[in-house]
Amino acid sequence: MSYNFDEIIQTLRMTELDHFDIRTVTLGISLRDCASRNVETTAQKIYDKITRTAERHVENARRVEKLYGISIANKRIAVTPVAIACDGLNSDEFVKVAHALDRAARECGVDYIAGYSALVQKGYTNGDRELIKSIPQALAETGRVCSSVNVASTKAGINMNAVLEMAHVIKKTAVLTQEQDGIGCAKLVVFCNVPEDNPFVAGAFHGVTEAEVVLNVGISGPGVVLDAIRRLGKTDFMQLAEEIKKTSFKITRAGEIIGRKTAEGLGVPFGIVDLSLAPTPAIGDSIADIIEAMGLESVGAPGTTAALALLNESVKKGGIMATSSVGGMSGAFIPVSEDQGMIRAAEKGHLSLEKLEAMTSVCSVGLDMIAIPGKTPAETIAGIIADECAIGMVNNKTTAVRILPIHGKDVGEFVDYGGLLGRAPIMPVRNLDSSVFVTRGGQIPPPIRSLTN
Amino acid sequence: MKKLTQQEIEKITQAAIRELGPGASPEKITQIVNDVVAELEKGAPSIALSASGKPAEGRVIVTAFGKNQPGVVYKITKILFELNLDIQDVSQKIVQDFFTLIIIVDMAASGGDFNQLKTRMTQLGDEMGIRLFVQHEDIFKSMYRV
């Protein structure tokens, strides 16, 4: 037999028992040719282009799923940052574009479309300013549109005006979507060093240097890594890292072939594989469980950051051998509401905002899907965003904040979105004033390491 | 009813030109393309899907798990026979009451239909209360061979 009996069984074990799936195939579509003299025509051109390009996206991905017996959890679309594609619009007009994106997503059968975005790390254009102003309304009036704003980078430093403005935007979005527990905030990410080829919604968009259309893939597989670590038992760190690398290699190869075949079926170029371990609320599909399987009583215990660093580095090392096209975030995700183990730890008080912040210095995203009291002042949220940006800026890595100030709720209560977004306990935020600092205005200058030439 | 994209129509045109070879005239090409487009837009399966999605190339791995019972191998191989599929290798293990059966099937030689095979196997699995998986071999090749 050309395949070993155990290899075939192992693959089935991965898909059937360990929740192994491909997290997302995301079709990136350029909207740079859609601007026109009036907003109705622009919105129509955007709708037409997306529905034409992505018409077979879902159907094609289902065919690939069936062929290989590996499920693709999400089929999504990312577009050129709308502030760039439609720089001349005002905020009311941007909302119309958001509706066009929403309708296009519904027509194509995708649950989320991302790219209602602006890149303002060094300053605003008029369009950036108008788009940002429109975000709360756009997210409240649409169901599938996701938004992101990049406010900092290693090269540019931190645009503190944008940081403060985004804190207000988050608060306003939470209020406008309060009937659904502030779900708008789950579709809004503030970034530092945002990658332009990230396939993971909500922070995805189709970068301006990308080709016309491209298909990117995001792998998953915390369950598979967890199973491998549990089977390994107690070994030294070198063996532990080796086991994670081997597992990551297999996951990435599967992601690579599924991405390539999906792109081939659509007749579009294949972009990148994002080597991120993305958890889901399913039992066993958890990053926290992996950290605990390494020997910590709970995620949040001293040693957590080291365990996460070991995991993240090993996933990348295994993955890099498996594909030549690495991109996106490529690191472990630690969203609180989407990971059973994280929820458990947050509920018991083992996990604080500060510990999560420390963890984000060694993994891929940042403070992700964290519910906080609705009464938290915008200036405090701005302080939280600024801290995350500082970690990203100084360490030359992506960081992000997707925080949910739940209107009318406080510590001890829960927010429950169901599905992949999961549920989160409302975590306490330090009741200390940051307002004088965050309202200084202007730019935090870039670090020494930005001068690399 | 499904509208074809410009790109798909171009593909059809190119295929028509290739097929007609030296006998291609603008009228003939237009007629063929119009006919094919009309036919496809009537609700026939997507052209690009059937062009790029025919998984008949290569080999497929059929894996069955379940409680051992008489006729398991017979019923599975009967479907393969009826679909005119060539078995290249078979491997089986029984632990206590449970069996695992892996069959490697060549689709290329017989021009078999992957979807049909998958549907038939899923039905059989449901009838017999066993789990049957049908997967293209590329996934195993990419995961276990460097």
Side-chain angles (χ1 to χ4, degrees), chain A residues 123-432:
Chain A
Y124 297 90
T125 64
N126 292 334
D128 291 333
R129 206 177 289 282
E130 293 295 315
L131 178 122
I132 290 173
K133 212 197 301 174
S134 76
I135 290 173
Q137 193 188 346
L139 293 181
E141 290 180 8
T142 60
R144 301 175 192 228
V145 175
C146 294
S147 176
S148 58
V149 176
N150 192 66
V151 296
S153 74
T154 301
K155 283 281 179 197
I158 307 174
N159 180 347
M160 285 301 290
N161 296 333
V163 167
L164 183 59
E165 187 174 1
M166 284 313 296
H168 284 289
V169 166
I170 290 170
K171 288 274 286 182
K172 194 167 172 199
T173 306
V175 173
L176 287 185
T177 57
Q178 59 179 287
E179 279 171 18
Q180 294 158 281
D181 274 334
I183 196 163
C185 297
K187 297 181 282 176
L188 175 58
V189 192
V190 184
F191 273 109
C192 168
N193 288 327
V194 67
E196 302 214 349
D197 50 7
N198 161 30
F200 287 100
V201 167
F205 63 78
H206 184 74
V208 285
T209 55
E210 297 283 321
E212 184 68 16
V213 183
V214 70
L215 188 116
N216 296 324
V217 59
I219 60 159
S220 173
V224 183
V225 175
L226 176 65
D227 182 60
I229 293 175
R230 282 189 178 150
R231 281 159 178 255
L232 187 67
K234 194 172 179 197
T235 61
D236 72 1
F237 286 111
M238 208 55 116
Q239 275 176 285
L240 182 59
E242 199 59 32
E243 191 64 26
I244 300 171
K245 274 161 63 181
K246 282 185 196 154
T247 312
S248 166
F249 176 83
K250 283 181 246 169
I251 298 171
T252 310
R253 292 283 275 206
E256 157 110 356
I257 188 167
I258 285 189
R260 285 195 186 281
K261 294 290 172 184
T262 310
E264 202 180 291
L266 282 176
V268 304
F270 175 63
I272 56 94
V273 181
D274 189 321
L275 305 177
S276 294
L277 282 189
T280 66
I283 301 287
D285 206 20
S286 153
I287 299 290
D289 285 358
I290 295 177
I291 287 167
E292 289 168 16
M294 286 188 195
L296 293 166
E297 184 184 342
S298 164
V299 64
T304 297
T305 311
L308 185 61
L310 169 73
L311 170 68
N312 205 28
E313 290 302 312
S314 309
V315 167
K316 284 193 258 193
K317 286 173 190 161
I320 203 100
M321 171 75 181
T323 174
S324 308
S325 321
V326 183
M329 309 274 199
S330 287
F333 290 175
I334 49 166
V336 174
S337 77
E338 298 170 4
D339 184 318
Q340 279 301 334
M342 300 287 274
I343 298 171
R344 197 172 54 230
E347 254 179 304
K348 289 184 180 159
H350 295 156
L351 204 51
S352 67
L353 213 55
E354 286 75 14
K355 186 64 187 177
L356 281 164
E357 183 187 316
M359 289 163 75
T360 65
S361 64
V362 298
C363 76
S364 83
V365 193
L367 295 172
D368 196 14
M369 291 301 285
I370 295 168
I372 57 170
K375 64 179 186 207
T376 312
E379 289 74 15
T380 304
I381 295 177
I384 293 170
I385 297 173
D387 283 345
E388 266 313 299
C389 288
I391 291 173
M393 172 181 79
V394 172
N395 296 299
N396 201 12
K397 70 185 288 298
T398 303
T399 47
V401 175
R402 184 162 54 148
I403 204 160
L404 318 155
I406 308 300
H407 188 76
K409 289 198 176 175
D410 214 332
V411 178
E413 291 181 271
F414 261 91
V415 55
D416 195 344
Y417 298 118
L420 274 180
L421 295 175
R423 69 194 272 273
I426 295 178
M427 293 177 73
V429 177
R430 278 186 192 277
N431 196 16
L432 299 170

